[in-house]
Amino acid sequence: MSKKFYITTPIYYVNAHPHIGHAYTTIACDTIARRHRMLGDDTWFLTGTDEHGQKIERAAQAAGKTPQQFTDEISAEFRALWERMGLTHDDFIRTTSERHRQGVQALWRKIRDNGYIYKGTYTGQYCVSDELYVDAVGPGAPCPDCGRPTETVHEENYYFKLSAFQDQLIRLYTEQPDFIRPETRRNEVLSFVRGGLRDLSISRSTFSWGIPVPDDPKHVVYVWLDALANYITALGYGSSDPSKFDKYWPADVHMIGKEIVRFHCVYWPAFLLAAGLPLPKGITAHGWLLFEESKMSKSRGNIVRAETIVDVLGTDALRYFLLREVVFGQDGSFSFDALVQRYNSDLANGLGNLASRTLTMITRYFKGEVPYPSHAAHTPSDAAIADAARKVIADYGTLFDQYQFSRALETAWGLVSAVDKYIVENEPWSLGDKQDEESRSRLATVLYTSAEALRIVTALAHPVMPDATAKIWAQMGLGDIGKFDLTQLQWGQLHLGTKLGEVQAVFPRADKSVVERMQKMEEQSGGTGVPPATIAGGETGASPVQPSAARQPAAGTPPPAAAAKPAATIPDGKISIDDFAKVELRVAQVKTAERVKGTDKLLRLEVDLGTEVRQLVAGIAEAYEPETLIGRKIVIVANLAPRKLRGLESNGMIVAASPEGGKPVLASFLEDVPVGTRLK
Ligand code: MSP
């Protein structure tokens, strides 16, 4: 029997136009949904737009439109973009829709009738941008989360008894460690909740752009309660037809960006518990796409639109890049150079080249029919490819199910490289020149082996690159890849005599002008707002960033290895400024510090980076007492891949001088420096 699988994206605010940050989450979910469908699961994939609240009301005002007009337009932009990119969501929910209003009011009534809503008065600082009361004192005091000025609000509000759920939530995170992934986010949430939960104001009466509170329409429902409820209202919760809700709820995964973890992992489960509803099975938070070192966002004016990349390189290139280049869960940088470099090395020279050379040779030497892999003509190198492919099928599935997309793709592309090498070593073109039986048999075996490996990579990569893989599949004469049952993927199923279709290049090589074209398109759209020289590298001359050859694939079609060589102009033993720029050094402030049990050397620290709190494990316990570090500003390598020390994940490294034979001394500053500042 098929399993059900329900996956959601956050619903996006309509105060900004869609950009690749939004596309990132939606693409990840689309890829996961596609894989589940290929595995035969009864899959439901939901996305939508978040349209209420003061922030949207003000954005509409600034645009000289009514909130409804404004939200209609921007919501339509999101829908149109997703359609253009071929995303396969099953539903698109808008919080201004009638079905959502009904569902939210039903949820409110349920929570109220269960005794978890009461009325009270409140005076405090409100952050309009975060739509949240915050701990800040005095008119205009900055929001501790985003730094924007807060507003003093005096309101009679409805409150949700969040404090009643503290113990249940702690139990949930402890008993179900996979409820929040990755582990760093879980730890943050756990310490937040352990710090104590205050009741939450869940209505507003200072503006009206929202869903009226049942039986008290002077108030509108707090935008986060309104928004979070989308995950159930879209399934028909509170409507006359709850059949989808009965079938798909609880969600298998809510996919979100790391900045909205608290809302999803604390408030949402508490609301559901209060309503007596089942909890989602898991919440997964990914990192941010950065552009020029900071989070891509409308307010920073550093966004990149997906349309530009889709127009120039195609949706598949963007999908592959985002999932391969960024380690899911961590922040990752976007640049046009990196995109084009990845495209050329992995797609044009990698999968595309493997497909075209293998299929062209089958066309040329075997009249376009998959040849028979003669047993007599087998060598250990054929068996090695078959074994590698079997391992890839297993490993790819495991990694993918853990949402380790980058590693899954790396594994599959390892097979592409292995087959490339295998082809070069076996020289099918030389075998093809010979007419003796032995050479023909050997040629048949080499081409069968290559084609079968190509089929396996194509099937595995289909959820990531639906269009290109559908084309390769059709060129292989295998029909509609959408009908392929992924549970049946095994080595050796490529049928002999399969008649190939017409062979065409799937990923034409991109030259340097492609980067410039995309940059121009973005400048004209008012997107990135960054002068081209700072992001181009290469030929733009005035660039303060020294271009490196690794980012500049040469013209023609060099083998991937050649394209990835370091620049010849950098003397031995030196690094380029680009290399240095890869190391993200930032100022962090120590929030907590404690000894790691069972070691003399290690301390576990939680440090504030301005945008997030991280756990680090550092070997400085012999030099510093934990208490003396609290509040101290230190320097950390912020983009070091996480690693585990004594079972604890360390997300970064403290920078310290390490005198020979002496104790480490932490790097610090004479002047005060804001938390999060980057060292360059
Ligand atoms: N409306 C709320 C979410 C409510 S869900 C019940 C919201 N909207 S948002 O428009 O700000 O979208 C936030 C989400 O968009 C992030 O959580 C993430 O999924 C995605 N991203 C937006 N910018 C992003 C980056 N620069 N990088 C990665 N993801 C980004 O918050």
Side-chain angles (χ1 to χ4, degrees), residues 635-678:
V635 176
I636 71 162
V637 181
N639 61 343
L640 204 66
R643 58 188 190 133
K644 281 211 165 156
L645 291 164
R646 297 280 173 145
L648 294 170
E649 190 167 83
S650 183
N651 272 288
M653 190 181 87
I654 296 188
V655 176
S658 306
E660 277 286 288
K663 291 179 177 169
V665 181
L666 294 178
S668 56
F669 299 92
L670 292 174
E671 288 87 2
D672 194 24
V673 190
V675 166
T677 307
R678 177 137 191 207

Side-chain angles (χ1 to χ4, degrees), residues 10-13 19 21-22 24-25 50 224 227-228 230-231 256-260 264 286-289 295-297:
I11 48 171
Y12 304 111
Y13 283 133
H19 57 71
H22 305 116
Y24 179 50
T25 319
D50 187 353
W224 270 101
L228 288 161
N230 91 88
Y231 301 131
I256 57 171
K258 66 182 184 184
E259 77 292 351
I260 50 177
H264 282 78
H286 61 68
W288 288 337
L289 275 191
K295 181 180 180 232
M296 206 175 278
S297 75

Side-chain angles (χ1 to χ4, degrees), residues 221-244:
V221 176
Y222 171 46
V223 70
W224 270 101
L225 172 54
D226 169 343
L228 288 161
N230 91 88
Y231 301 131
I232 57 175
T233 64
L235 296 177
Y237 172 82
S239 79
S240 53
D241 177 13
S243 55
K244 277 208 193 70

